[in-house]
């Protein structure tokens, strides 16, 4: 065993191939760019989390006693903007997707490595603008920055809008790179029907990024023009129609939810197959349901506007279309569940996150159907029910997927094993903390507590559930800090990881941990089907060598 | 498969091609990646302008009389001339691609120069139109003025200045973003010209000319739609 | 996609056609066609755009179906944006 260890540490890999700040800041290696993204989005995750903490502290008591109303408006605005545009949207694609897609398809790099680096720099410029906005007072428009308020507020909306605009182009370039890479860079034998479902999910995500993001970019430009010149495009006082803004905004921002959740679904497909030791049930259904979600996701945007004054006919159309997107989502959940059936299930940490994802995503998805139904939506719009619903999707879904994926591929990324016991504990804490935070919010919303209120002293009966929610948020916060601590700990003290610690299928596990700069020592040729766990687990190849 | 899951494929390429980046296996793969990348980029551009076309459609439906009155204040002759200028530049671009594929360096350089000149002609005419609008106080903002402008076909009725301002806001944003794309296009073609001058392009490698050309044609197509939408509303009245 | 003498001829033919269509669209705008003025103008613009895309951008003649798929999907999502927005604006009981 000691010889194996020595071999692992001595090998040249992407981390020790070159040292120095320049070799990182000017790198075109997709793996190093993924790590740059990892550090940047973690930074923004904790900033966004800090805002969430302040929000929950304020709501601990019915009176508005911790902060002023204006400050509270800024808290939930910056929480939303930072978390959506600077954490959730880049999270899985820019970190895990960037790191894994070229390896999963057997390529040396993404199709446009320099554009990949450019996209990180755009993200950093956008992030710097966002930090500037936060340090100079922040914006108070809500993350949705509806007009006409965003056109007249005297807070720093222009900086925030510009930050989102620039970060949007970063997201477009990442999507462009992924789509072209999947089409053009696949290794010989890596047919579309052999692609890992993680890659399918990212392909679908990239299509949304490419076709949706430009619309929010032009919308931000129009709001900025409206603010500075008072053109009247969105200002009802000057003959404009504010609903046009909402149409354009949600044309991107509804599909953006699928930018966040689809990559997580990709992660879950990989993890479930590995820890159930089975090929994913209905591979092609899961693959094409990703594409279907991407397309249907563009058909449903006006369900955010049912009470905003759109025509009744239009509301009916969008209500019905919104149900359609539930079909491919349910296909995925059913197929994951069917994969577990008669599988040989291992309860390792990534699998615990995957189980958490399936449960929480199902709750989030089904409450989404409540909101798609016109009658119920009118009742619960702008209440905590909506807040709970989208947090179940974005935090219960996307963040669980992100953490599950980080654990699953951490040995590949860092070359070190994380402590399994602590990881299981963290997964449990996150699951418990999450539900304690957000389930009470469903009840609060259903009972009629509006969102974005900083003071609820005229409805003190809501305090009990709010205290539960704040307590849950504290537990959740610990659950998020814990992995960061032991991941960092494992960099120095963790056991060296073998090339394939989970005995998983997929090309990324057939190269070293951490991988060499160009991913593979020799160009791979794929001769096997995806998720061939029956072959991997067949007795005669149990003793697969670690060091080659 | 168990012992060595990765088979070695072929040998490394013997002849080193300076234009071939390390992570591509063959030149065709690199060319196809660049071309597909440009096509997807153009798809994002369609959606970028799409948001504007959507806004335009909404307000044209709501405020049609004002849109007609405003369009009348533009000079359709200048708009038509600019359309012709862009069509000619698209011809010189496609000739440049042809020249590159046929190793006709002189023709390539001439076509690239012609394209850049036509691009500047377009921007010059556009600048004159902007200047006229500025003089007439038709630029949206504090100085905007659109008093007593008749609605075509409705004698005695005047356009509502607020609604007219929305038309001009869309006019300036749409043509302005188009002009920015033209300026970027001229920048790209200047780069291509320098590289062509240095004989960097051969019939085996002229991908930059091809994808630069795709971009230029796309900007042309946007204008092909902007011209009738902005200039030709109720011209007959 | 190597050029031939015929492709040069095609390019010039398309160029002439585009100029003629430009004249035609101005001519059509100056005669009263009622509600069809806008339809005619957009049809001519679409014909011109199609000619540029097919012959100058070489969609015709590219062996790849993928390029066409990209174009079609971009147009599809553009029409989704326009069409579904119009499902609201054209059916409002107020305004």
């Amino acid at each position: 065993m000691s010889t194996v260890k020595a071999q692992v540490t001595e090998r040249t890999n992407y981390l020790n191939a070159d040292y120095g700040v320049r070799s990182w800041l000017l790198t075109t290696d997709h793996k190093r760019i993924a790590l740059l993204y990892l550090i940047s989005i973690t930074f923004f995750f904790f900033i966004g989390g800090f805002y969430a903490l302040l929000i929950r502290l304020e709501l601990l008591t019915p009176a508005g006693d911790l902060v002023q109303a204006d400050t509270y408006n800024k808290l939930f605005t910056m929480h939303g903007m930072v978390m959506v545009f600077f954490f959730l949207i880049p999270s899985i694609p820019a970190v895990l997707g960037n790191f894994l897609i070229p390896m999963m398809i057997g390529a040396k790099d993404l199709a446009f490595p320099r554009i990949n680096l450019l996209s990180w720099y755009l993200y950093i410029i956008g992030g710097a603008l966002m930090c500037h906005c936060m340090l100079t007072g922040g914006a108070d428009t809500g993350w949705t920055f509806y007009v006409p308020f965003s056109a007249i507020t005297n807070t720093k909306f222009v900086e925030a809008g510009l930050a989102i605009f620039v970060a949007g182009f970063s997201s477009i370039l990442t999507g462009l790179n992924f789509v072209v890479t999947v089409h053009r860079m696949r290794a010989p034998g890596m047919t579309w029907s052999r692609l890992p479902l993680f890659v399918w999910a990212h392909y679908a995500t990239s299509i949304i990024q490419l076709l949706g993001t430009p619309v929010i970019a032009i919308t931000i430009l129009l709001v900025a023009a409206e603010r500075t010149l008072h053109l009247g495009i969105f200002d009802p006082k000057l003959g404009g129609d504010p609903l046009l803004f909402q149409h354009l905004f949600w044309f991107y921002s509804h599909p953006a939810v699928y930018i966040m959740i689809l990559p997580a679904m990709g992660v879950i497909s990989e993890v479930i197959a590995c820890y159930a030791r089975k090929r994913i049930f209905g591979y092609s259904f899961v693959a094409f349901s990703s594409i279907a979600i991407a397309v249907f996701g563009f058909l449903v945007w006006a369900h955010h506007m049912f009470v905003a004054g759109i025509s009744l006919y239009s509301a009916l159309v969008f209500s019905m279309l919104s149900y359609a997107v539930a079909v491919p989502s349910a296909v995925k959940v059913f197929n994951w569940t069917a994969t577990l059936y008669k599988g040989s299930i291992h309860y390792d940490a990534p699998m615990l996150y995957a189980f958490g994802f399936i449960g929480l995503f199902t709750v989030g998805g089904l409450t989404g159907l409540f909101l798609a139904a016109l009658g119920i939506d009118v009742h619960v719009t702008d209440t905590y029910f909506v807040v709970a619903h989208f947090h179940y999707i974005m935090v219960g879904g996307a963040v669980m997927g992100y953490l599950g994926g980080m654990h699953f591929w951490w040995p590949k990324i860092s070359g070190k094993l994380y402590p399994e016991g602590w990881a299981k504990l963290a997964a449990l804490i996150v699951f418990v903390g999450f539900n304690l935070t957000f389930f009470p919010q469903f009840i609060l919303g259903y009972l009629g507590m509006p969102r974005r209120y900083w003071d609820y002293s005229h409805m003190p009966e809501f305090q009990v559930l709010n205290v539960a929610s704040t307590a849950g948020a504290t537990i959740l916060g610990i659950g998020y800090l814990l992995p960061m601590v032991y991941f960092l700990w494992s960099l120095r003290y963790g056991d060296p990881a073998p090339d394939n610690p989970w005995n998983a299928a997929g090309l990324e596990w057939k190269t070293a941990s951490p991988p060499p700069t160009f991913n593979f020592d020799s160009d791979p040729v794929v001769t096997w089907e995806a998720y061939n766990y029956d072959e991997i687990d067949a007795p005669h190849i149990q003793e697969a060598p670690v060091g080659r | 498969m168990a012992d060595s899951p990765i088979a070695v494929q072929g040998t490394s390429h013997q002849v080193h091609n300076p234009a071939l980046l390390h992570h591509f296996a063959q030149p065709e793969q690199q060319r196809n990646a660049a071309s597909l990348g440009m096509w997807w980029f153009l798809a994002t551009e369609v959606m970028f302008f799409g948001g504007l076309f959507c806004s335009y459609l909404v307000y044209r439906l709501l405020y049609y009389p004002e849109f007609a009155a405003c369009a009348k204040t533009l000079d359709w002759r200048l708009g038509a001339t600019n359309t012709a200028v862009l069509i000619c530049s698209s011809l010189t671009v496609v000739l440049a691609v042809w020249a590159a594929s046929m190793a006709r360096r002189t023709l390539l350089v001439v076509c690239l120069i012609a394209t850049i000149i036509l691009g500047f002609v377009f921007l010059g005419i556009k600048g004159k139109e902007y200047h006229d609008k500025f003089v007439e106080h038709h630029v949206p903002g504090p100085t905007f003025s659109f008093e007593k402008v008749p609605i075509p076909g409705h004698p005695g009725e005047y356009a509502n200045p607020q609604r007219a301002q929305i038309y001009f806001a869309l006019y300036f944003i749409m043509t302005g973003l188009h002009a920015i794309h033209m300026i970027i296009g001229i920048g790209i073609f200047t780069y291509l010209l320098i590289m062509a001058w240095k004989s960097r392009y051969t019939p085996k490698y002229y991908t930059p000319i091809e994808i630069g050309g795709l971009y230029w044609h796309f900007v042309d197509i946007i204008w092909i739609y902007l011209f009738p939408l902005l200039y030709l509303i109720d011209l007959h009245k | 996609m190597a050029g031939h003498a015929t492709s040069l001829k095609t390019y010039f033919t398309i160029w002439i056609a585009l100029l003629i269509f430009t004249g035609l669209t101005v001519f059509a705008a100056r005669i009263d066609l009622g509600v069809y003025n806008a339809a005619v103008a957009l049809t001519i613009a679409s014909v011109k755009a199609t000619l540029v895309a097919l012959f100058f951008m070489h969609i015709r003649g590219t062996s790849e179906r993928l390029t066409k798929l990209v174009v079609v999907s971009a147009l599809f999502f553009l029409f989704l944006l326009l069409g579904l927005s119009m499902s609201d604006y054209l059916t409002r009981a107020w305004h």
Side-chain angles (χ1 to χ4, degrees):
Chain A
M1 198 59 200
S2 60
T3 53
V4 171
K5 269 188 187 176
Q7 223 175 343
V8 168
T9 45
E10 275 168 21
R11 237 185 273 165
T12 315
N13 60 51
Y14 81 105
L15 291 168
N16 64 16
D18 205 349
Y19 294 97
V21 178
R22 267 177 71 93
S23 76
W24 282 90
L25 292 184
L26 296 178
T27 183
T28 52
D29 183 347
H30 65 100
K31 297 181 290 301
R32 287 190 161 208
I33 295 172
L35 288 197
L36 293 176
Y37 262 116
L38 174 62
I39 296 164
S40 346
I41 69 160
T42 307
F43 172 73
F44 280 104
F45 179 70
F46 282 104
I47 289 185
F50 176 68
Y51 282 115
L53 182 77
L54 292 180
I55 291 170
R56 282 318 320 166
L57 276 181
E58 168 57 57
L59 294 177
L60 200 55
T61 57
D65 37 17
L66 181 68
V67 294
Q68 297 297 311
D70 289 345
T71 315
Y72 186 79
N73 288 348
K74 288 176 181 171
L75 290 182
F76 69 70
T77 301
M78 302 323 290
H79 167 71
M81 283 180 172
V82 167
M83 283 302 203
V84 169
F85 296 107
F86 291 91
F87 174 70
L88 283 166
I89 287 177
S91 62
I92 300 179
V95 178
L96 293 173
N98 226 338
F99 194 95
L100 292 166
I101 287 176
M103 264 187 275
M104 284 182 161
I105 65 173
K108 290 195 181 80
D109 205 322
L110 288 171
F112 311 117
R114 278 174 294 186
I115 287 182
N116 196 20
L117 182 66
L118 174 66
S119 106
W120 181 71
Y121 273 103
L122 286 176
Y123 174 87
I124 288 299
I125 293 170
L129 283 165
M130 197 42 112
C131 288
H132 178 256
C133 169
M134 290 186 286
L135 291 175
T136 56
D140 66 346
T141 55
W143 80 276
T144 49
F145 54 94
Y146 273 18
V147 290
F149 182 66
S150 59
I152 55 172
T153 175
N154 51 13
T155 54
K156 305 281 178 188
F157 173 70
V158 173
E159 282 88 339
L162 204 59
I164 296 168
F165 183 84
V166 177
F169 279 96
S170 153
S171 164
I172 290 175
L173 293 181
T174 304
L176 186 72
N177 231 331
F178 286 176
V179 168
V180 175
T181 304
V182 173
H183 273 292
R184 299 299 195 213
M185 310 295 283
R186 281 172 288 127
M190 179 52 86
T191 58
W192 284 88
S193 60
R194 284 175 177 170
L195 277 183
L197 291 165
F198 181 87
V199 178
W200 272 102
H202 275 78
Y203 183 83
T205 309
S206 304
I207 289 175
I208 306 176
Q209 287 176 310
L210 284 170
L211 296 172
T213 320
V215 178
I216 191 91
I218 194 70
T219 312
I220 292 171
L221 279 188
L222 287 174
V223 176
E226 178 76 58
R227 252 184 96 86
T228 43
L229 296 167
H230 307 292
L231 307 173
I233 292 183
F234 293 140
D235 189 348
K237 220 167 53 203
L238 300 174
D241 180 15
L243 277 189
L244 175 63
F245 168 86
Q246 296 186 23
H247 277 299
L248 295 175
F249 177 83
W250 288 113
F251 181 83
Y252 165 74
S253 294
H254 188 78
V257 176
Y258 302 107
I259 296 180
M260 303 172 208
I261 198 72
L262 271 170
M265 292 169 158
V267 169
I268 299 310
S269 299
E270 301 296 314
V271 170
I272 289 210
C274 176
Y275 291 105
R277 310 306 299 168
K278 271 179 73 185
R279 183 180 157 86
I280 280 281
F281 181 83
Y283 167 92
S284 49
F285 276 88
V286 181
F288 282 108
S289 64
S290 290
I291 307 293
I293 288 175
V295 176
F296 289 176
F298 278 100
L299 302 173
V300 303
W301 78 79
H303 67 218
H304 296 268
M305 303 160 60
F306 284 160
V307 299
I310 57 170
S311 82
L312 188 59
Y313 172 82
S314 178
L316 283 171
V317 170
F318 276 105
S319 178
M320 281 193 290
L321 287 172
S322 299
Y323 279 96
V325 84
V327 176
S329 312
V331 164
K332 281 189 191 289
V333 172
F334 288 140
N335 279 304
W336 290 324
T337 321
T339 308
L340 296 175
Y341 180 67
K342 287 194 174 172
S344 119
I345 297 172
H346 299 253
Y347 295 90
D348 290 16
M351 189 61 156
L352 296 185
Y353 281 105
F355 284 142
F357 174 96
I358 295 179
L360 300 179
F361 172 74
T362 305
V363 174
L366 289 177
T367 50
L369 289 181
F370 295 13
L371 294 168
L374 268 175
I376 302 180
D377 184 74
V378 171
H379 178 69
V380 293
T381 289
D382 279 340
T383 68
Y384 264 90
F385 191 87
V386 176
V387 176
H389 155 70
F390 70 71
H391 280 90
Y392 262 76
I393 298 287
M394 292 181 186
V395 185
V399 179
M400 287 296 246
Y402 172 68
L403 286 176
M406 280 305 295
H407 284 84
F408 190 55
W409 284 291
W410 183 253
K412 188 54 65 182
I413 294 172
S414 68
K416 295 295 170 76
L417 293 172
Y418 59 81
E420 180 65 32
W422 283 101
K424 280 182 181 158
L425 180 68
L428 200 67
I429 291 176
V430 167
F431 185 78
V432 171
F434 175 86
N435 280 298
L436 189 55
T437 311
F438 292 107
F439 200 81
Q441 297 185 5
F442 276 126
I443 305 169
L444 278 172
Y446 199 76
L447 294 176
M449 174 154 173
R451 66 194 283 201
R452 295 181 174 177
Y453 272 34
W454 110 108
D455 177 328
Y456 55 101
S457 40
H458 59 293
M459 34 193 177
E461 67 274 20
F462 290 150
Q463 191 179 9
V464 176
L465 288 168
N466 270 304
V467 169
S469 182
T470 302
T474 317
I475 297 172
L476 188 59
I478 294 167
Y480 287 149
L481 279 171
L482 209 52
M484 201 175 85
V485 172
Y486 60 70
F487 277 154
L488 287 174
W489 174 89
S490 77
L491 285 181
R492 193 171 169 85
Y493 304 105
D495 289 336
D499 290 356
N500 189 354
W502 321 126
N503 220 0
L507 267 178
E508 79 271 27
W509 299 109
K510 297 193 193 302
T511 185
S513 295
T517 300
F518 295 126
N519 296 344
F520 299 97
D521 294 330
S522 53
D523 296 345
V525 176
V526 181
T527 54
W528 58 90
E529 299 304 316
Y531 309 110
N532 55 341
Y533 283 104
D534 46 346
E535 291 174 35
I536 292 174
D537 291 344
H540 63 282
I541 45 172
Q542 270 295 347
E543 65 286 357
V546 175
R548 226 178 304 158
Chain B
M1 201 181 88
D3 283 5
S4 73
I6 296 166
V8 180
Q9 181 227 356
T11 50
S12 61
H13 294 271
Q14 303 302 316
V15 191
H16 181 65
N17 178 351
L20 182 66
L21 297 170
H22 69 84
H23 58 294
F24 291 108
Q26 305 108 15
E28 299 91 270
Q29 190 189 23
Q30 182 176 349
R31 183 195 163 279
N32 288 339
S35 159
L36 182 64
M38 181 45 94
W39 276 105
W40 268 112
F41 175 74
L42 296 182
T44 70
E45 291 272 28
V46 168
M47 298 310 292
F48 188 69
F49 281 97
L52 287 173
F53 282 120
C54 184
S55 314
Y56 171 90
L57 185 58
V58 166
Y59 289 117
R60 179 172 163 144
L61 285 171
L62 290 178
Y63 304 141
Y64 186 77
E66 280 78 11
F67 268 48
C70 294
K72 265 267 160 71
T73 70
L74 300 178
D75 190 344
W76 65 264
R77 289 172 198 82
L78 290 179
T81 313
N82 253 349
T83 312
V85 168
L86 273 192
I87 287 172
C88 293
S89 75
S90 264
L91 177 72
T92 57
V93 166
V94 83
L95 290 179
V97 176
W98 183 83
S101 73
M102 304 301 276
R104 307 263 293 264
R105 179 174 166 271
T106 317
L107 181 63
L108 171 62
V109 168
V110 168
C111 284
L112 291 176
I113 292 174
T115 308
I116 293 168
I117 291 174
L118 287 167
F120 277 116
V121 170
F122 177 92
L123 287 176
I125 294 176
K126 201 76 231 148
K128 161 144 190 12
E129 290 186 87
Y130 279 180
H131 174 76
D132 292 348
K133 292 283 110 188
F134 186 76
V135 171
E136 295 164 33
H137 292 290
H138 287 172
V139 181
T143 60
F144 183 77
S145 154
F146 205 75
E147 300 304 324
K148 296 273 173 196
V149 179
I151 291 172
H154 296 270
E157 289 181 40
Y158 298 105
N160 174 329
Q162 280 187 348
R163 297 170 176 184
Q165 182 169 253
I166 292 180
Y167 169 89
F168 279 110
L170 288 170
Y171 168 81
F172 277 102
I173 293 173
M174 291 169 111
T175 57
L177 280 178
H178 179 265
I180 291 173
H181 279 78
M182 289 292 297
I183 293 167
I184 294 170
I186 289 173
I188 293 171
F189 272 71
T190 310
Y191 169 82
L192 293 177
L193 175 63
I194 295 167
M195 289 297 149
W197 187 262
K198 291 182 181 168
S199 302
R200 288 290 164 81
Y201 302 122
T202 63
K204 281 215 169 76
Y205 174 74
Y206 59 101
T207 316
I209 308 241
E210 276 188 302
I211 63 169
L214 288 179
Y215 174 85
W216 191 278
H217 292 306
F218 172 80
V219 177
D220 184 15
I221 286 178
I222 291 290
W223 183 260
I224 283 175
Y225 280 99
L226 288 183
F227 171 57
L229 289 180
L230 293 172
Y231 290 77
L232 304 180
I233 309 174
D234 276 358
L235 214 56
H236 53 85
K237 283 183 183 159
Chain C
M1 220 192 300
H4 310 287
T6 49
S7 64
L8 268 190
K9 216 168 117 188
T10 316
Y11 295 151
F12 280 99
T13 315
I14 298 298
W15 175 61
I16 299 285
L18 288 171
L19 289 176
I20 289 173
F21 275 121
T22 305
L24 196 63
T25 192
V26 173
F27 173 76
R30 292 172 65 79
I31 51 176
D32 191 354
L33 301 169
V35 291
Y36 294 107
N37 268 104
V40 168
L42 278 178
T43 309
I44 294 177
S46 300
V47 169
K48 285 163 74 181
T50 311
L51 288 178
V52 172
L54 285 183
F55 295 98
F56 285 180
M57 297 169 94
H58 299 112
I59 289 185
R60 215 186 108 110
T62 346
S63 52
E64 268 219 303
R65 239 181 282 166
L66 184 57
T67 316
K68 290 165 197 161
L69 189 68
V70 176
V71 176
V72 169
S73 51
L75 293 177
F76 174 73
F77 283 94
L78 176 66
F79 283 118
L80 276 186
L81 172 62
L82 300 179
L84 284 174
S85 301
M86 283 307 116
S87 84
D88 173 22
Y89 283 95
L90 295 179
T91 59
R92 280 189 191 171
W94 47 284
H95 252 307

